[in-house]
Amino acid sequence: MAPSSTVSNSKIIREIEKEVLPLIRVYKDGTVERLMSSPTVPPSSQDPETGVSSKDIIISDNPKLSARIFLPKTHTHQKLPIFLYFHAGAFCCESPFSSLCHRYLNILASQANVIGVSLDYRLLPHHPLPAAYQDAWNALQWIASHATGNPVNTEPWLLNHADFNKLYIGGDANGANIAHNVLMRAGTETLPGNVKILGALLCCPYFWGSKPIGNEPVEDHENSLAIKVWKFVYPDAEGGVDNPMVNPCGEGAPSLAMLGCSKLLVIVTGADEFRERDLQYYECVKKSGWKGHLEELYEAGDDEKHGFQIFKPHSQNAKNMLKRMASFLL
């Protein structure tokens, strides 16, 4: 879909090729505006608020895959759990280097006392899905390879300070969707050194479907932002928005008994547009026969909107949520 409107910038007329507002706008000259991305910030040898150290690392060169890794100041005392994190941003905005994501991981690494690996997975419009899913799997394999003592692109913080018996993955919004799909793959494929995912943390995951459920609005469902995003990020998905990667409880979806981890925490908020899907997902996992431990559903606030904990992590509800997340990542 190509709107006929034009935009003037510095006396240059640029025609819009496609856009998904309020997230992203792509012009025919190749220019991309990521409308919801926060400014990038450098890593820090020691964050002044948390004492967490961070640095940017290369995971692979083909495809080029990088991350920002976070190390809490307590790393000298014991081996630490690893948390592979997938950021929010609808598969087209934000990065581990953005100010919001950087602050969020600093706080979580400090409170949970974990090594955080925030993945810079490939984004739209240049890399439609399943690119981000494959990047996530590649990053997980790379982390696990350190347990074999023979990794490619060795990361000393993992070799020296990581407890590979405590490997966690997780994310927020579409990042939680990525984590779910990694779990499904981990249920059928092995990791280097036979490393296992101990737990997964799904915060307000992006799930959807072609038909409204629960209290979702019936009117204009087909034009919802969630559907527009999926059509943009995965235009070739078989079944469209009922593809199991975004509708894991839909008809014909693989059994959630395949989830490849030992424990799972799902977090929802009261005013999140994905709330009904996430509640459905929780119940589907519970009824699937999955052998892992499903933690009690965490409600992060009746009036809190999608992603509130990233935008205002120092609010009381966000502090409570982060405390619950930290207690899970043991």
Side-chain angles (χ1 to χ4, degrees), residues 59-72:
I59 293 174
S60 68
D61 296 314
N62 187 24
K64 185 175 181 181
L65 195 58
S66 62
R68 180 164 290 178
I69 187 169
F70 297 80
L71 185 67

Side-chain angles (χ1 to χ4, degrees), residues 10-324:
S10 301
K11 299 182 180 180
I12 299 175
I13 304 299
R14 294 181 297 166
E15 187 174 356
I16 297 172
E17 180 178 355
K18 54 187 172 182
E19 61 184 0
V20 180
L21 299 178
L23 298 167
I24 189 171
R25 181 178 292 127
V26 182
Y27 296 91
K28 287 189 174 180
D29 65 2
T31 304
V32 178
E33 290 183 345
R34 302 185 191 279
L35 305 173
M36 293 287 287
S37 289
S38 58
T40 59
V41 295
S44 173
S45 59
Q46 188 173 68
D47 178 67
E49 180 181 346
T50 63
V52 170
S53 301
S54 58
K55 63 179 179 178
D56 296 337
I57 59 175
I58 299 297
I59 293 174
S60 68
D61 296 314
N62 187 24
K64 185 175 181 181
L65 195 58
S66 62
R68 180 164 290 178
I69 187 169
F70 297 80
L71 185 67
K73 59 185 177 182
T74 56
H75 67 271
T76 57
H77 304 305
Q78 76 267 9
K79 296 286 188 177
L80 302 176
I82 312 147
F83 180 47
L84 175 57
Y85 175 74
F86 311 117
H87 65 81
F91 298 103
C92 62
C93 297
E94 289 292 86
S95 79
F97 321 118
S98 69
S99 57
L100 291 175
C101 186
H102 179 79
R103 177 180 64 180
Y104 187 59
L105 263 291
N106 266 321
I107 295 172
L108 188 55
S110 173
Q111 292 194 13
N113 201 32
V114 298
I115 300 172
V117 180
S118 184
L119 180 65
D120 187 28
Y121 57 84
R122 290 172 291 173
L123 301 177
L124 271 290
H126 303 112
H127 304 286
L129 292 179
Y133 295 143
Q134 185 60 49
D135 289 348
W137 183 253
N138 290 349
L140 184 64
Q141 289 184 307
W142 173 78
I143 290 174
S145 73
H146 286 72
T148 68
N150 190 32
V152 176
N153 292 334
T154 302
E155 172 45 53
W157 285 4
L158 291 176
L159 278 181
N160 298 331
H161 306 298
D163 181 350
F164 294 97
N165 292 314
K166 295 182 177 180
L167 173 58
Y168 293 88
I169 69 170
D172 293 271
N174 71 284
N177 172 285
I178 293 174
H180 159 75
N181 283 289
V182 169
L183 290 177
M184 293 299 288
R185 187 166 178 176
T188 59
E189 298 183 33
T190 58
L191 293 170
N194 203 32
V195 170
K196 305 295 185 184
I197 301 172
L198 178 57
L201 180 59
L202 306 187
C203 299
C204 306
Y206 165 54
F207 297 133
W208 207 247
S210 61
K211 304 297 182 184
I213 63 170
N215 293 321
E216 291 175 355
V218 174
E219 186 176 351
D220 218 26
H221 179 84
E222 293 182 357
N223 293 316
S224 63
L225 180 59
I227 287 182
K228 290 178 181 178
V229 166
W230 186 253
K231 288 180 177 180
F232 176 62
V233 301
Y234 204 168
D236 299 328
E238 184 178 351
V241 77
D242 286 321
N243 185 283
M245 288 182 165
V246 72
N247 188 2
C249 299
E251 184 178 351
S255 171
L256 296 180
M258 295 169 56
L259 290 169
C261 65
S262 297
K263 60 178 184 174
L264 177 67
L265 174 62
V266 179
I267 295 176
V268 299
T269 68
D272 185 2
E273 58 265 41
F274 301 125
R275 176 182 173 84
E276 294 295 328
R277 299 288 164 172
D278 298 347
L279 294 175
Q280 180 191 50
Y281 178 80
Y282 183 84
E283 291 302 320
C284 286
V285 174
K286 185 186 295 185
K287 297 173 182 177
S288 70
W290 178 58
K291 302 301 183 183
H293 175 65
L294 181 61
E295 302 270 333
E296 183 177 350
L297 184 77
Y298 184 81
E299 297 264 7
D302 292 341
D303 301 320
E304 298 293 1
K305 295 182 179 180
H306 186 71
F308 83 99
Q309 73 282 2
I310 299 171
F311 293 102
K312 47 180 185 177
H314 298 299
S315 67
Q316 191 56 56
N317 279 339
K319 287 180 179 179
N320 293 341
M321 176 176 167
L322 284 160
K323 183 178 180 180
R324 177 66 186 96

